[in-house]
Amino acid sequence: MKYTEKISKQLNELLIKNYDAEKGYVNAANSVNSERLKVFFNKCASERSTFAKDLRTEILRYGEEPSATGSFKGIAHRNWVSLKSLFSTNNEEVILEEALKGENASLEAYNDLLKSENLPSNIEALILKQKNAIKDTIEAERVQEELVS
């Protein structure tokens, strides 16, 4: 069975967002001093790596070609976060704010895909599971942000 072109494109966009998020979280973990935040960001990176692997498997399963890397936009965003945190008095708060922006953008992409017609039930279940995990991460990031404020 093949996806529609629209669904295939959206799955690849989610895959790229997850590649970008994983790299962003690794960068964040390497940019903070707090051991608690390092552990948190590394956990988020690992989760996004798993998301990407699951999406990649589904894309291949349906005979499509998955994207191999992240996006230029993701690289630019990570560089901006690094630069911004250099000039901030509380770089951990800045990094958490930027992580929240990224997660909210991911959540929007997941919601867009869930609105698609004729989404196979196994894909819908995977997307819902990942979307709910992202929502949990957003809440956890808000708690972390309150702790560093």
Side-chain angles (χ1 to χ4, degrees), residues 119-130:
L119 194 61
S121 59
N122 61 318
I123 298 300
E124 183 177 13
L126 175 65
I127 299 305
L128 276 171
K129 178 182 166 189
Q130 291 183 358

Side-chain angles (χ1 to χ4, degrees), residues 80-128:
W80 168 247
V81 171
S82 295
L83 182 62
K84 192 173 176 183
S85 67
L86 282 175
F87 297 105
S88 172
T89 55
N90 188 348
N91 71 335
E92 292 177 344
E93 188 174 1
V94 168
I95 291 168
L96 280 163
E97 287 171 6
E98 293 302 321
L100 272 169
K101 285 181 188 176
E103 290 298 78
N104 283 318
S106 288
L107 194 58
E108 190 175 310
Y110 275 82
N111 284 331
D112 287 346
L113 181 56
L114 287 168
K115 292 176 189 173
S116 298
E117 293 180 25
N118 303 321
L119 194 61
S121 59
N122 61 318
I123 298 300
E124 183 177 13
L126 175 65
I127 299 305
L128 276 171

Side-chain angles (χ1 to χ4, degrees), residues 2 16 20 27 34 47 59 61 67 114-115 131 135 139 143 148:
K2 282 198 156 268
I16 290 167
D20 288 342
N27 189 36
S34 165
E47 180 179 62
I59 292 167
R61 189 171 142 206
S67 296
L114 287 168
K115 292 176 189 173
K131 174 191 157 191
K135 287 170 72 175
E139 289 306 312
V143 169
V148 298

Side-chain angles (χ1 to χ4, degrees), residues 19-115:
Y19 288 150
D20 288 342
E22 177 187 4
K23 291 173 188 168
Y25 280 124
V26 168
N27 189 36
N30 292 330
S31 299
V32 296
N33 294 324
S34 165
E35 198 56 39
R36 176 181 45 78
L37 282 177
K38 283 183 186 295
V39 169
F40 175 74
F41 286 138
N42 282 321
K43 177 190 150 295
C44 291
S46 177
E47 180 179 62
R48 287 315 192 91
S49 175
T50 301
F51 287 2
K53 287 175 190 168
D54 291 345
L55 287 166
R56 185 172 164 62
T57 297
E58 287 302 318
I59 292 167
L60 286 168
R61 189 171 142 206
Y62 282 85
E64 296 294 330
E65 188 64 34
S67 296
T69 62
S71 67
F72 175 75
K73 187 176 178 182
I75 292 167
H77 185 255
R78 284 189 299 279
N79 289 337
W80 168 247
V81 171
S82 295
L83 182 62
K84 192 173 176 183
S85 67
L86 282 175
F87 297 105
S88 172
T89 55
N90 188 348
N91 71 335
E92 292 177 344
E93 188 174 1
V94 168
I95 291 168
L96 280 163
E97 287 171 6
E98 293 302 321
L100 272 169
K101 285 181 188 176
E103 290 298 78
N104 283 318
S106 288
L107 194 58
E108 190 175 310
Y110 275 82
N111 284 331
D112 287 346
L113 181 56
L114 287 168
K115 292 176 189 173

